[in-house]
Amino acid sequence: MGSESENLHNVSSSGKSVNQQSVRPIAGLLAEYPSEHTLVRCAEQLRDAGYRHWDVFSPYPIHGLARAMGLRRAWLGKLIFLAGIGGAALAVWLQWYTNAVDYPLIVSGKPFVSWPTYAPVVFELVVLLCAVAAFGGVLAITGLPRFSHPLRANPRFRRATRDGLFVFIDAKDPRFDPELCRELLTGLGAVAVEEVPVLPPSPVPRALYWGIAFAAILALVPPLWITYYRMVPKRSPRIHLILDMDAQPKVKPQSFFPYFADLHGERPAVPGTLARGEMVEDPARLEGKNADGSWVETIPIPVTRDLALRGQESYRIYCAPCHGLTGGPPEIGSVDDPLKYFGMVVRRAQKRGQWIPPISLHAESVRQQPVGQIFHTITHGIRSMPGYAAQIPVDDRWAIVLYVRSLQRSQRATLEDVPAEERRALR
């Protein structure tokens, strides 16, 4: 009797375990179809029946299958368009803020807001954000990445990449009923219908959490390092992680170079030579002096409006960084802060206490100089100001002289300077 009771107990125990295994929850139903026609017909019936969570699998494209499934256009295109607009706005704002607000600097005479120069950065950011939006949008629409799915453990479903045509109805569908769905799929021509059990959850490795935490902390190091070097004043130069073109194997102007006898890196022009097309036979036009050595009193080239505009352009490129757009502080009246009338180079250097501001172009000593003397100063330099003969052509130097005279006259204009016709109109 004891052995029989033990056997009955073992049978009941094994039966209980079998029943527990049989009630394992299912993830859905998988149906295999023999042909493309039956697969498309099944998709149409499921669409019309109102099923929402289901999908079709085929190893090759089938014409009309997307329409049969009732697939609509995804919102990926709109997302990419919005990302492109955002990238363009971000690029414009970034360049405007860095060049006009955070570090205002005129480069080669360009204004603070220069739309043509914004184009390359705008293009790059638009392409970058569109690519990121497309990549992330595809993952969001498809629900990827999926590291595990019940279908991957089904042996029959492995033929979906070779020659199998399958339809899968997810158990999350509101209309899902195992028996009714099985009858529907079988009635639509399925050769086999299987229940796909839910896979047991796999634990996430603890090393993955530590890896994510370490990566997050590591990602904070560069912005914190940049913030530290931007906010904390230092006497040493900033660290250049990416040198770009800051350090190059070249000889810089006015620098020490041990390979020449004079130890200067900048080489003087060869005596008795001129650059091609730079031959000027008029000494007054070339040096600003008459034959007897006196300074030229009038500009030796035709004075026109175009010459004045050319002088304004050249002055803003070569002279304004130090002398300022107005030529320095005016000599008439009181000036609270003379430094604000000078250019960015002078203002920044003055903060470091290692720079002597240039003389104002409106000073009496400069206004009384003949035009030839001003031209000579631009050509050969004076005190800490270098000569610009190598950078500025002869006629452009005279154009700058003309514009300097215009700036000086603008600060001391009188009613007699207005033409008689305009004076009568004013009265």
Side-chain angles (χ1 to χ4, degrees):
M1 291 292 293
S3 60
E4 291 180 359
S5 60
E6 290 178 0
N7 292 335
L8 290 174
H9 177 72
N10 293 334
V11 170
S12 61
S13 299
S14 61
K16 181 179 180 181
S17 62
V18 170
N19 292 334
Q20 287 181 344
Q21 293 180 359
S22 62
V23 297
R24 182 177 177 182
I26 63 174
L29 292 179
L30 178 67
E32 182 180 0
Y33 286 87
S35 64
E36 303 173 5
H37 175 72
T38 55
L39 184 69
V40 172
R41 180 170 172 270
C42 176
E44 293 174 346
Q45 294 296 325
L46 292 178
R47 176 200 65 192
D48 296 339
Y51 286 91
R52 296 170 56 188
H53 297 281
W54 58 284
D55 205 347
V56 177
F57 301 91
S58 170
Y60 50 85
I62 299 177
H63 181 70
L65 182 58
R67 183 171 59 254
M69 296 177 64
L71 298 180
R72 296 174 295 178
R73 290 181 60 89
W75 42 265
L76 184 61
K78 297 179 181 178
L79 177 65
I80 296 175
F81 176 76
L82 294 177
I85 297 298
L90 177 62
V92 171
W93 175 85
L94 179 64
Q95 295 177 90
W96 166 79
Y97 177 77
T98 55
N99 192 48
V101 178
D102 185 48
Y103 195 91
L105 181 63
I106 296 178
V107 181
S108 300
K110 294 191 292 290
F112 289 138
V113 180
S114 180
W115 296 106
T117 60
Y118 288 0
V121 178
V122 170
F123 172 78
E124 294 294 340
L125 271 185
V126 167
V127 173
L128 175 63
L129 292 190
C130 285
V132 172
F135 180 77
V138 169
L139 295 183
I141 292 174
T142 57
L144 297 175
R146 295 180 183 177
F147 299 102
S148 62
H149 193 276
L151 285 176
R152 299 181 61 182
N154 187 280
R156 182 184 296 275
F157 186 72
R158 297 174 184 174
R159 295 176 46 236
T161 58
R162 300 194 307 270
D163 57 355
L165 303 175
F166 295 94
V167 171
F168 176 74
I169 301 180
D170 201 304
K172 296 184 300 183
D173 195 289
R175 301 178 60 85
F176 181 80
D177 181 271
E179 298 301 328
L180 294 180
C181 290
R182 182 185 295 272
E183 294 179 4
L184 176 62
L185 295 174
T186 304
L188 293 175
V191 295
V193 178
E194 294 183 1
E195 292 184 353
V196 180
V198 176
L199 295 179
S202 56
V204 179
R206 294 178 59 87
L208 180 61
Y209 293 110
W210 286 105
I212 294 175
F214 178 76
I217 296 174
L218 194 64
L220 293 176
V221 173
L224 292 178
W225 189 268
I226 294 173
T227 304
Y228 170 72
Y229 266 87
R230 281 184 61 90
M231 304 302 295
V232 180
K234 298 177 179 59
R235 299 185 62 86
S236 59
R238 291 178 294 177
I239 296 177
H240 283 62
L241 298 179
I242 302 177
L243 295 179
D244 291 330
M245 298 180 66
D246 294 339
Q248 302 181 55
K250 66 178 181 179
V251 180
K252 296 183 178 180
Q254 303 179 10
S255 62
F256 173 80
F257 198 65
Y259 293 98
F260 297 114
D262 57 1
L263 302 181
H264 291 169
E266 188 174 16
R267 308 312 303 146
V270 179
T273 62
L274 287 173
R276 188 182 299 274
E278 294 295 325
M279 180 65 181
V280 179
E281 299 180 358
D282 185 3
R285 179 184 169 192
L286 182 61
E287 289 293 335
K289 294 182 178 181
N290 295 313
D292 57 358
S294 60
W295 297 115
V296 172
E297 296 290 342
T298 59
I299 297 177
I301 60 176
V303 177
T304 61
R305 177 178 175 83
D306 292 339
L307 183 67
L309 294 176
R310 178 63 179 171
Q312 181 187 39
E313 180 182 8
S314 300
Y315 176 88
R316 290 184 174 181
I317 295 174
Y318 297 102
C319 310
C322 288
H323 289 279
L325 293 175
T326 61
E331 293 298 312
I332 300 177
S334 61
V335 177
D336 297 333
D337 184 13
L339 195 62
K340 69 180 181 180
Y341 291 92
F342 289 107
M344 179 62 67
V345 174
V346 175
R347 295 204 299 269
R348 292 187 65 86
Q350 193 69 15
K351 293 180 180 179
R352 303 184 64 178
Q354 302 176 358
W355 188 270
I356 300 176
I359 189 172
S360 173
L361 299 181
H362 303 287
E364 188 68 22
S365 59
V366 179
R367 291 192 306 103
Q368 296 300 328
Q369 292 181 7
V371 293
Q373 186 175 357
I374 299 177
F375 176 86
H376 189 271
T377 302
I378 298 173
T379 303
H380 300 284
I382 186 172
R383 293 187 295 274
S384 59
M385 171 183 166
Y388 286 88
Q391 292 94 338
I392 310 175
V394 175
D395 290 352
D396 286 356
R397 277 176 263 158
W398 283 114
I400 293 177
V401 173
L402 175 61
Y403 186 69
V404 169
R405 283 295 194 227
S406 302
L407 289 176
Q408 294 171 346
R409 191 170 182 179
S410 67
Q411 297 295 328
R412 294 178 176 269
T414 61
L415 188 60
E416 285 70 19
D417 295 325
V418 181
E421 297 80 3
E422 297 184 11
R423 272 184 287 171
R424 286 194 294 269
L426 293 174
R427 292 175 183 174

